[in-house]
Amino acid sequence: LLAAAGVPAVSSAATGDDVLLNEILVSTTGSDPEYIELFGTPDFSLAGLSVIGLEADAGQEVVIDFQYDFSAADQLGDNGFLLVGNDLVSGAYGVTPDLAISQNALENSSTTYALVETFSITLDGASSILDSVHITDGDSDPPLSGAPSVGPDGSFLPAGVGRIADGVDTDTSGDWEIL
């Protein structure tokens, strides 16, 4: 949620990636303000990209539980951030999302979230994945597509995860912290 805090513009994510997942909030007590924050090169076009949520309980079929397809007009802000969230985010955090999702759109259990090229979305791991993270409650749900796994928070699903440093991506769970 740093996009609204006046974070200065950057040239790209610290790894040179044009866009990365930066924060994901999926579950809070009471009504759920939910959001996905992207970070990267200011004004970078998100055309042809999607964020998906993949869920698979151990031994069960993988399903796409969430999909947000960016339009040709969608791009990162002047500060390199973009916030996709529901209408409860503004009241809870004082930040208005750039793009809207419905309430309860994000899964409140172990899920792998991935930023992918829209044309490549499949369930067999062959998607062109730009970035991913697995949020786990510690049960036997596996991370999908090689995503770094974060959680549990005690014996529960973390309310959310965020990069320890904006834009730092080594493709390991060490990049992430529980929010």
Side-chain angles (χ1 to χ4, degrees), residues 134-138 149-154 156-158 161 178:
H134 176 239
I135 303 172
T136 182
D137 58 11
S149 195
V150 182
D153 188 3
F156 300 99
L157 177 80
V161 297
I178 295 172

Side-chain angles (χ1 to χ4, degrees), residues 46 68 70-71 74-75 82-86 96-101:
L46 300 172
Y68 188 92
F70 294 101
S71 75
D74 296 332
Q75 64 184 37
L82 180 111
L83 188 64
V84 178
N86 68 19
T96 302
D98 301 298
L99 302 170
I101 56 174

Side-chain angles (χ1 to χ4, degrees), residues 64-83:
I64 295 176
D65 213 32
F66 171 81
Q67 181 171 339
Y68 188 92
D69 299 326
F70 294 101
S71 75
D74 296 332
Q75 64 184 37
L76 297 180
D78 291 344
N79 61 0
F81 289 94
L82 180 111
L83 188 64

Side-chain angles (χ1 to χ4, degrees), residues 64-143:
I64 295 176
D65 213 32
F66 171 81
Q67 181 171 339
Y68 188 92
D69 299 326
F70 294 101
S71 75
D74 296 332
Q75 64 184 37
L76 297 180
D78 291 344
N79 61 0
F81 289 94
L82 180 111
L83 188 64
V84 178
N86 68 19
D87 59 358
L88 298 175
V89 171
S90 183
Y93 300 103
V95 177
T96 302
D98 301 298
L99 302 170
I101 56 174
S102 63
Q103 288 192 25
N104 300 315
L106 304 179
E107 182 64 39
N108 291 346
S109 66
S110 294
T111 304
T112 298
Y113 288 93
L115 178 64
V116 301
E117 292 181 346
T118 305
F119 75 87
S120 70
I121 294 174
T122 67
L123 296 178
D124 65 3
S127 295
S128 179
I129 297 173
L130 302 170
D131 194 27
S132 62
V133 65
H134 176 239
I135 303 172
T136 182
D137 58 11
D139 59 14
S140 56
D141 292 348

